[in-house]
Amino acid sequence: MKTLRSVKGMHDVLPRSMPAWHAVEEGYRELVERFGYQEIRTPLLEPIELFVRGIGDSTDIVEKEMYAFEDKGGDHLALRPEGTASAIRAYLQHGFQVESPQCKWYYLGPMFRRERPAKGRYRQFYQAGAELIGVAAPAADAEIIDMAVQFIESLGIGPVRVLLNSLGGEQTRPLYRKALVEHYSKHEQKLCEDCSRRLERNPLRILDCKVEGCRALSVDAPSVHDYLGEDDREHFDEVRRLLDKGGTPHQVEPTMVRGLDYYTRTIFEVQAESSALGAQTSVLGGGRYDNLVKQLGGRATPSIGFSFGIERLIMVMPESTHKEQVPLVFVAGVGKQSLDRALDIARTLRRQGRRVEVAHTGASLRSQLKKADKLGAAFAVIAGEEEAKRGGATLRNMTDGQQIEVRVDELSARLEELR
Ligand code: HAM
């Protein structure tokens, strides 16, 4: 029979990788909660329309990469390709806009995009993100960028590059759009098939096209910075001033647009220099989306957020950041009598909060100690019959093999001293 395998681009995360995953997940929760963010969990499946309206129907994500289907009841559903649209759907659905319009939310979970699999690019990947809903001030942009950078640096990743741009708001967009259409129209025959379509519908997307011919045309495309309206320019300058003041180096990338249509004004990416990632140097991306709430049926609510791929972060994270495990204690019993005692000792130590393994059969001491070693135990407790007569057990340091006899009721205290 053919052995079944996981779907292309979708991976098992095995137990040996968990110290790294836990370091990222727990480090992230701890940090964003310090900034006042609260967790939200939304379903993996959403109505397709949420992403068509939210992310934009001429983006690659919606046009080509969504896992979308009609379920048996005839509903049109999609596996979520990102978390922002879902967070805003929940914000509107549960009446936050009326009752508490400012929300600081964070999330972690799997996302799905049917992209071409590559190093650091998967079809199911895990994202963690944060959304600051209902705040327009540039100080919010600077704070959230600072939070993102602080988090990545807390994992020992570096050096990182922060790329920043502004896409402008309502003042800027129509003018910039017109300038782009004029520029690319002159070379229309050189555009790829996708970009020919984008020319009228969404010319900003052409700046993001990876096809060589389109990239060549984008080199001398008009810069958004020549079209920024006064308010948009002031907003961008203020974000930069605050980042400088807070000591967050950044680089303005005038052609950066990002792959989702909801962005307005500030957008940013954090890149990590690492050969482990191949071409996927972007570990985190985000930006302002001042029109999304309105597009999804609410009132205009300026907001900003970011998200990052957990797999990508782990690929560039040094091993020293992986979450340290609590030391393991292996309890060995020899013979039927001491097996019972070993099980008792294990039960007590576990109740005291220690991480404990115990042999369930009375195998030879030698083979039990071998197993303890294989499991990476820091200590072994040997419940021998002789020591039992004195209410004791042997405590063995698995690193140097040193052994001492300890009273069972003092075991926990001795383990604490030896840590
Ligand atoms: P995004 O740039 O599409 O933005 O994705 C954010 C991050 O998710 C990327 O920087 C990357 O680390 C990771 N990522 C994306 N696609 C893949 C993939 N196929 N495989 C592995 N990792 C991937 C968003 O998703 C926006 N929702 C960010 C945001 C939140 N903007 C405002 N709020």
Side-chain angles (χ1 to χ4, degrees):
M1 210 192 315
K2 195 175 138 215
T3 322
L4 294 171
R5 298 185 61 85
S6 64
V7 174
K8 185 175 172 189
M10 304 197 182
H11 299 282
D12 301 310
V13 184
L14 299 176
R16 63 170 171 264
S17 308
M18 284 305 160
W21 282 74
H22 291 170
V24 172
E25 291 167 356
E26 288 166 28
Y28 184 65
R29 280 179 202 284
E30 200 269 318
L31 184 116
V32 295
E33 286 182 9
R34 253 192 282 145
F35 278 78
Y37 285 75
Q38 294 177 305
E39 184 172 356
I40 176 161
R41 299 188 190 192
T42 60
L44 303 194
L45 281 175
E46 295 276 5
I48 290 181
E49 204 196 332
L50 172 64
F51 303 117
V52 175
R53 271 166 55 187
I55 299 175
D57 57 1
S58 53
T59 57
D60 279 358
I61 296 180
V62 170
E63 264 189 347
K64 303 177 186 164
E65 297 167 2
M66 266 204 308
Y67 284 92
F69 63 97
E70 191 179 326
D71 79 356
K72 293 209 163 67
D75 289 333
H76 295 272
L77 305 177
L79 279 167
R80 62 179 187 190
E82 58 106 50
T84 311
S86 303
I88 298 305
R89 192 234 352 102
Y91 174 82
L92 291 171
Q93 181 173 338
H94 300 285
F96 285 93
Q97 178 143 68
V98 182
E99 279 163 32
S100 104
Q102 283 190 12
C103 291
K104 287 168 137 183
W105 286 348
Y106 78 90
Y107 49 86
L108 294 107
M111 308 291 163
F112 303 84
R113 296 184 192 176
R114 202 178 182 289
E115 293 193 75
R116 197 168 45 77
K119 226 182 201 178
R121 190 166 65 213
Y122 311 103
R123 291 181 169 178
Q124 174 178 323
F125 57 99
Y126 284 76
Q127 255 190 4
E131 311 293 347
L132 171 48
I133 306 168
V135 187
D141 307 33
E143 185 189 74
I144 209 162
I145 294 170
D146 181 46
M147 181 170 90
V149 173
Q150 252 192 58
F151 169 64
I152 291 191
E153 289 182 345
S154 75
L155 297 174
I157 296 169
V160 297
R161 289 204 309 159
V162 179
L163 307 181
L164 193 72
N165 198 17
S166 173
L167 296 178
E170 270 151 31
Q171 286 181 312
T172 304
R173 277 303 178 83
L175 299 175
Y176 186 46
R177 190 184 184 286
K178 191 161 163 266
L180 286 174
V181 174
E182 270 171 24
H183 170 76
Y184 288 114
S185 298
K186 283 188 242 149
H187 314 278
E188 201 177 340
Q189 66 294 351
K190 293 191 193 144
L191 290 172
C192 74
E193 207 179 300
D194 282 343
C195 286
S196 301
R197 257 185 305 122
R198 289 169 181 149
L199 186 57
E200 277 308 320
R201 284 176 75 197
N202 196 347
L204 226 71
R205 290 256 65 77
I206 305 178
L207 288 166
D208 211 22
C209 182
K210 305 287 180 287
V211 175
E212 204 42 61
C214 303
R215 276 168 63 160
L217 293 181
S218 294
V219 172
D220 58 353
S223 162
V224 65
H225 292 271
D226 295 330
Y227 295 85
L228 283 182
E230 205 179 313
D231 293 351
D232 290 337
R233 151 91 31 227
E234 264 174 30
H235 185 98
F236 190 58
D237 289 346
E238 184 60 2
V239 174
R240 294 199 61 199
R241 188 187 71 79
L242 290 167
L243 286 175
D244 284 336
K245 194 164 157 282
T248 305
H250 57 274
Q251 188 177 316
V252 177
E253 199 66 31
T255 53
M256 181 167 79
V257 286
R258 305 207 10 84
L260 304 105
D261 276 353
Y262 49 59
Y263 290 119
T264 49
R265 293 194 162 175
T266 316
I267 53 169
F268 58 97
E269 278 188 17
V270 179
Q271 298 193 336
E273 313 272 318
S274 167
S275 52
L277 272 179
Q280 315 297 314
T281 50
S282 172
V283 289
L284 178 147
R288 203 162 250 300
Y289 48 94
D290 292 346
N291 297 330
L292 181 59
V293 179
K294 199 167 168 195
Q295 266 163 31
L296 295 179
R299 283 198 308 271
T301 308
S303 306
I304 183 164
F306 67 76
S307 62
F308 59 86
I310 297 183
E311 291 88 347
R312 283 193 199 176
L313 272 196
I314 288 174
M315 286 170 83
V316 295
M317 188 169 109
E319 232 172 81
S320 54
T321 319
H322 295 187
K323 191 173 155 44
E324 239 181 72
Q325 290 227 316
V326 182
L328 177 68
V329 180
F330 188 95
V331 186
V334 191
K336 170 94 179 64
Q337 287 282 317
S338 37
L339 179 61
D340 279 6
R341 248 169 78 75
L343 293 174
D344 275 348
I345 293 174
R347 190 180 309 115
T348 307
L349 289 176
R350 282 178 178 145
R351 286 203 173 138
Q352 288 165 345
R354 300 199 174 275
R355 193 160 72 94
V356 176
E357 283 282 346
V358 64
H360 297 112
T361 59
S364 77
L365 182 60
R366 214 175 105 84
S367 73
Q368 289 192 50
L369 288 179
K370 235 172 141 180
K371 185 169 174 198
D373 209 35
K374 198 162 169 218
L375 289 170
F379 301 99
V381 174
I382 304 161
E385 282 174 19
E386 277 306 307
E387 303 96 297
K389 289 182 198 152
R390 297 184 288 272
T394 297
L395 179 59
R396 179 186 173 92
N397 184 328
M398 292 299 291
T399 319
D400 57 15
Q402 290 225 14
Q403 301 196 159
I404 45 168
E405 190 174 322
V406 176
R407 286 182 53 83
V408 169
D409 52 12
E410 285 172 1
L411 254 176
S412 196
R414 290 311 289 271
L415 283 166
E416 202 53 43
E417 281 168 24
L418 291 168
R419 264 189 81 156

